[in-house]
């Protein structure tokens, strides 16, 4: 196995694991030739599945692990008791340099805590953040933090902007991504001290990112900026509210199509296009919540995702690896320097 | 005019005013017999319109005002310069006891600032909040604060819960509304100090509200609780994100129906039901952002709303008036007492 494209997989994480993991890994090979895998999980279950996927078998190695982190386990418990779990051993492989990154569909809190504990944060980064990719009217946007940091200071938000922009360059392929800071209005005086100070710092950025200032909640799906920066409390609630709203639309749509014979007929005629639309909004296609700011790639796949969803998460890890995102973030943060020393920041602390 | 059902209308506020205001006011009479109006605005424009609405003319009185608060005016400017505006004079009528409440489709910030300045907060309420009614899978939910208070302490959140529950009883007709506190997870230890302390206080409530604990962003549209409590920063961003997500769904839906001849035919067959679904999600039907906690009813109608939207906003004001919501809030806050004195709260201050 050559190091740059080895990805460690938690083969036991997720509702449909290990089948969804193996099938997804096999799909990802087609899209990202050169990927190789370390599969952490129950060898007895994995072996026969792998035998049915010869292309995957040719570039994957099973590493037997007996333990699994349960979805209900608390992060602190998982850290203490999960040292031999498939999730932990996959992360350890990244720390040991055997793999560039880990992908898991298991317990999010445990993956975050273990990744942080094992991989540590990159130099210059105070706290890692969870980033996600979301559909917009004209494409996709990166949103972070989605819940890793409940309370953030201006410095954290600035670092999220730098990491989010680097991620957008790698994964969305945008050379000069625009970055917006989530707020309750666009005017400079809106919001709390933290977002105002972060905006002030970002306005003076020498980085390859274009800070467009404050944006509002509906700007996320409008695609007003390529990167949306916010604290983990607001980001998590905004994301879940948006997901809830999309579900409500589909629910009402289903009811509408069931309300008359004509409507049902109409549904049958438009079914193919409606299913394609549903796919465009399906979170599984935007799979791969990513922990940014760690010394190694760590990607979370939706717990309920199928093989397609898992393949998307592997694709995100592959794009980050190919683009050497880690190096990029280290350099950007270094070049951006002086953030912690900015006088207003020092005064705020 | 008998006082209990007189509502002061800012006839000049909103993109389609004064026509939308007058037509909406006329519609509201059908649904809430007994309402009477004071119409503040340009008499020369209002008179001929009113002449065409004889049922409205029979229970409305025009009060001429020449000035209008512009949509772009800052709240502080509006407070200083807008003393003779239709918006301000309508609020003044509430303070003078001529009307129980005001409804305006004008500048939100100006309406909030003027209402607060003129009407003051109710005894026991530290800060007023903006509440809105939103569609859920099984009905409707009240969400507050939608942006009046960027930073909130636990006490503010507790008062929002009390006010939101009183509002849900009046406007949604629920005798014992459930209240959820928006957070990043349901477990007691999740979130920041503020939400944890607020939850601790609410768990000991002697009020006619059922506190169900923490809820997440997608619980808003799931209808997990009748009332959703959060700070104005998070609430505004969650609401706008949800609106953006619904818009994205409709945009994708429109594209889906345009993608093939069959799909277009399907749309034509299902059109009536789809339009009805659209109406269910239309924010205009959930019109009437309400300022709760003031010594008088103040309801904001969407700036872009038509007559139907304005009628819905008037309906909200009427329900609050009929139910004597103000008295209810005063009594609930009084009975709830001791909030400000709770030892943990005192320690946090």
């Amino acid at each position: 196995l050559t190091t740059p494209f080895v990805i460690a997989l938690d083969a036991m994480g997720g509702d449909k694991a290990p089948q969804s993991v193996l099938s997804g890994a096999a799909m990802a090979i087609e899209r990202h030739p050169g990927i190789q895998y370390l599969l952490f999980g129950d060898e007895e279950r994995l072996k026969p599945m792998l035998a049915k996927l010869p292309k995957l078998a040719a570039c994957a190695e099973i590493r037997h692990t007996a333990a699994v982190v349960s979805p209900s386990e608390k992060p602190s418990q998982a850290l203490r008791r999960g040292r031999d779990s498939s999730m932990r051993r996959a992360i350890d492989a990244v720390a040991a340099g055997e793999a560039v990154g880990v992908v898991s569909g298991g317990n999010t809190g445990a993956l975050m805590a273990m990744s942080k504990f094992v991989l540590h944060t990159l130099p210059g980064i105070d706290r890692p953040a969870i980033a996600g990719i979301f559909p917009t009217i004209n494409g996709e946007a990166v949103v972070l933090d989605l819940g890793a940091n409940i309370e953030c200071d201006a410095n954290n938000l600035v670092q999220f902007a730098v990491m989010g922009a680097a991620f957008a360059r790698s994964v969305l392929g945008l050379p000069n991504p625009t970055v917006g800071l989530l707020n309750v209005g666009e005017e400079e005086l809106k919001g709390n001290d933290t977002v105002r100070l972060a905006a002030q710092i970002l306005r003076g950025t020498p980085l390859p990112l274009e800070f467009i200032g404050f944006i509002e909640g509906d700007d996320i799906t409008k695609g007003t900026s390529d990167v949306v920066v916010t604290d983990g409390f607001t980001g998590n609630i905004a994301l879940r509210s948006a997901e809830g709203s999309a579900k409500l639309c589909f629910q009402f749509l289903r009811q509408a199509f069931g309300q008359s014979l004509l409507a049902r007929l109409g549904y049958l005629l438009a079914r193919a296009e409606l299913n394609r639309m549903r796919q465009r909004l399906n979170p599984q296609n935007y799979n791969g919540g990513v922990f940014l700011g760690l010394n190694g790639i760590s990607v979370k796949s939706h717990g309920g995702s199928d093989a397609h969803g898992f393949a998307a998460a592997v694709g995100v890890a592959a794009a980050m690896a190919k683009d050497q995102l880690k190096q990029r973030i280290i350099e950007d943060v270094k070049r951006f320097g002086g953030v912690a020393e900015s006088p207003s920041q020092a005064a705020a602390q």
Side-chain angles (χ1 to χ4, degrees), chain A residues 102-106 108 111-112 115 129-134 142-148 167 171 239 243 283-292 294 297-303 305 309-310 312-314 316-317 320:
Chain A
V102 54
V103 180
S104 171
T108 309
L111 183 64
M112 179 79 199
S115 297
I130 302 177
I133 301 173
F134 294 93
V142 172
V143 184
L144 77 169
D145 175 23
L146 296 180
F167 181 70
V171 175
L239 161 70
E243 282 180 0
Q284 299 226 345
N285 292 326
Y286 300 90
N287 213 348
V290 173
F291 300 130
L292 290 180
L294 295 176
I297 295 164
S298 177
V299 174
K300 171 69 172 64
S301 172
H302 264 251
S305 75
F310 198 84
V314 171
V316 168
M320 289 167 77

Side-chain angles (χ1 to χ4, degrees), chain A residues 56-76:
Chain A
L56 177 65
C59 62
E61 191 183 310
I62 296 175
R63 298 276 175 95
H64 178 71
T65 56
V68 175
V69 174
S70 88
S72 60
E73 217 158 333
K74 284 191 182 158
S76 54

Side-chain angles (χ1 to χ4, degrees), chain A residues 10 16 25 32 51 58 65 87 109 133 190 255-256 264 285 288 319:
Chain A
D10 169 10
K16 295 163 197 158
H32 304 272
T65 56
M87 184 188 280
I133 301 173
K190 289 271 182 181
Q255 290 175 3
R264 243 169 293 170
N285 292 326

Side-chain angles (χ1 to χ4, degrees), chain A residues 21-60:
Chain A
V21 172
L22 268 63
S23 306
M27 281 179 198
I29 297 172
E30 314 278 324
R31 285 182 235 160
H32 304 272
I35 279 191
Q36 300 192 302
Y37 298 106
L38 292 177
L39 303 172
F40 290 84
D42 183 349
E43 188 161 22
E44 271 189 53
R45 292 184 66 191
L46 298 179
K47 254 192 171 160
M49 286 181 187
L50 196 57
K52 287 183 195 151
L53 297 161
K55 277 189 190 167
L56 177 65
C59 62

